[in-house]
Amino acid sequence: MRIYIAGSGAMGCRFGYQLQKSGEDVVLLDNWEDHIAAIQKNGLTIVGDEPDNVPMTIMKPTQAKDVADFIILFTKAMQLPSMLEDIKQIIGAHTKVLCLLNGLGHEDTIRKYIKEENILMGVTVWTAGLKGPGVAILQGKGTINMQSFDKNGAESSREIVDVMNKAGLNVIYDEDVLPSIWRKACVNGTMNSTCALCDCTIGEFFATEDALHTVRCIIHEFCEVGIASGIKLNEKEIVDYVMHVSEIAAPHYPSMHQDLVQNHRLTEIDFINGAVARRGKKLGIDTPYCQMITDLIHAKEHILKIA
Ligand code: NAD
């Protein structure tokens, strides 16, 4: 199967690496010049659980020419529209496209480029990091929940599930994936932005009663807006899940902290808390916590002169 990874940062490298190892024909697409140069010169280097070094094909998205059987989107959320524009030439009538980005509402962007029966939406708890250009940090294991966006695409998605499972990616075909996507967004919406703003680890943030109050208010806003949008969410179950993740991930700085505080990169806030605030406005639901957190992250992006 000809597979393109559209956005080959940390997660794109993980998925591309595992799929190539399992025998698939994988091409990484990316726009970061140093990363492309490093992989072209030295191959993709893996550090972490099972160190490795493998040659991999990588190029800029506009350089890809052959129509894809399968594309996995792994840009940061704000890079998604330009990536889809840059890969138009490899999207055929039968090209399946899987979105595993964190955040909400990506289906609205993707359906402008891809037929609904070819869109797969999902969520993953696999993780990855980048040590530098061409060097991915792969630790731990994960799973993926995914579903065809349109019921007509469910049957033809089975092959994709099989290919990914052959690569050890642990895919579950989910008959209703949106609640899982929103649940993950709640995790990101309570930990990412808050730890970036407070400049602390997840464990440090969740250790204070004031912070826990904020966490509960954010989850409440996500659930009110999600339920009003027709997503089946159980607020108590989500609170328990977020608390559980906060314990497992306690020593870590979440990715938004890494992006904003450590690397001075733009954040995905508009697709997490910001998406809930925007949708809340349309539905007439107040979301003061999500709105304020979004505003504060944007303020920080401006202070750092990256916005
Ligand atoms: P990433 O930041 O590693 O890569 C995204 C893009 O940014 C890539 O095109 C990459 O080349 C580019 N990039 C990265 N560092 C750069 C630098 N220093 N200079 C210039 N360009 C750079 O993002 P990711 O962690 O792979 O995440 C992709 C998507 O998956 C996001 O929506 C994220 O929220 C989600 N996600 C990430 C993880 C994780 O553990 N990293 C887990 C689940 C979901």
Side-chain angles (χ1 to χ4, degrees):
M1 186 174 274
R2 179 174 295 132
I3 303 174
Y4 286 95
I5 311 290
S8 298
M11 291 296 277
C13 283
R14 173 189 270 289
F15 278 58
Y17 169 73
Q18 287 191 222
L19 285 160
Q20 178 171 288
K21 275 244 145 181
S22 74
E24 302 301 333
D25 169 11
V26 177
V27 176
L28 304 178
L29 302 177
D30 209 72
N31 280 308
W32 183 15
E33 310 257 3
D34 292 349
H35 190 51
I36 295 174
I39 293 174
Q40 285 176 341
K41 186 163 176 253
N42 306 318
L44 175 65
T45 301
I46 306 294
V47 297
D49 293 345
E50 292 174 41
D52 200 358
N53 178 269
V54 289
M56 289 205 70
T57 306
I58 183 164
M59 61 183 71
K60 291 208 168 187
T62 49
Q63 292 171 332
K65 293 285 174 264
D66 299 324
V67 169
D69 296 313
F70 179 35
I71 299 172
I72 306 182
L73 300 168
F74 254 136
T75 59
K76 280 283 163 83
M78 51 286 184
Q79 302 164 329
L80 183 60
S82 63
M83 175 60 80
L84 285 163
E85 196 58 41
D86 285 350
I87 59 170
K88 278 200 292 204
Q89 70 287 0
I90 60 168
I91 299 168
H94 304 291
T95 304
K96 292 279 181 190
V97 177
L98 169 64
C99 175
L100 290 174
L101 274 60
N102 279 332
L104 301 171
H106 302 311
E107 58 274 18
D108 296 336
T109 306
I110 298 169
R111 56 151 71 105
K112 291 181 195 151
Y113 296 85
I114 316 287
K115 285 196 292 186
E116 293 205 354
E117 69 201 51
N118 287 336
I119 301 175
L120 292 150
M121 295 302 298
V123 62
T124 182
V125 294
W126 284 100
T127 61
L130 281 180
K131 198 171 173 190
V135 184
I137 308 164
L138 306 189
Q139 281 165 330
K141 298 263 176 231
T143 54
I144 299 163
N145 282 54
M146 69 186 209
Q147 183 187 24
S148 173
F149 192 63
D150 180 312
K151 281 203 180 83
N152 292 328
E155 200 44 50
S156 53
S157 304
R158 300 287 167 188
E159 191 188 353
I160 299 293
V161 173
D162 291 346
V163 162
M164 294 182 78
N165 277 333
K166 204 176 99 207
L169 287 163
N170 302 334
V171 177
I172 298 152
Y173 190 86
D174 196 326
E175 295 300 336
D176 187 13
V177 81
L178 281 173
S180 302
I181 292 176
W182 276 71
R183 195 172 65 159
K184 175 91 185 283
C186 276
V187 171
N188 296 136
T190 50
M191 297 176 192
N192 273 15
S193 34
T194 48
C195 292
L197 288 168
C198 294
D199 191 5
C200 65
T201 63
I202 294 165
E204 284 167 339
F205 185 73
F206 275 71
T208 72
E209 199 38 56
D210 292 331
L212 289 180
H213 174 71
T214 302
V215 165
R216 285 190 208 101
C217 291
I218 294 170
I219 294 174
H220 183 67
E221 291 180 3
F222 269 73
C223 287
E224 269 206 311
V225 171
I227 290 166
S229 308
I231 317 292
K232 294 182 195 121
L233 300 175
N234 176 329
E235 189 168 332
K236 169 153 187 339
E237 189 258 330
I238 292 180
V239 171
D240 291 347
Y241 181 69
V242 167
M243 296 309 295
H244 171 66
V245 175
S246 76
E247 283 164 25
I248 298 170
H252 299 288
Y253 289 98
S255 60
M256 196 176 289
H257 184 282
Q258 292 164 25
D259 286 339
L260 188 66
V261 182
Q262 300 172 30
N263 298 319
H264 293 189
R265 295 180 66 206
L266 278 178
T267 71
E268 296 182 301
I269 193 71
D270 285 335
F271 303 87
I272 305 173
N273 305 75
V276 170
R278 268 195 317 280
R279 201 181 279 221
K281 236 174 234 158
K282 275 195 198 147
L283 295 165
I285 299 170
D286 282 341
T287 58
Y289 280 82
C290 283
Q291 186 62 61
M292 179 177 279
I293 281 172
T294 305
D295 292 345
L296 288 175
I297 291 283
H298 282 317
K300 184 75 179 167
E301 289 171 342
H302 278 103
I303 291 163
L304 293 170
K305 298 192 178 17
I306 51 176

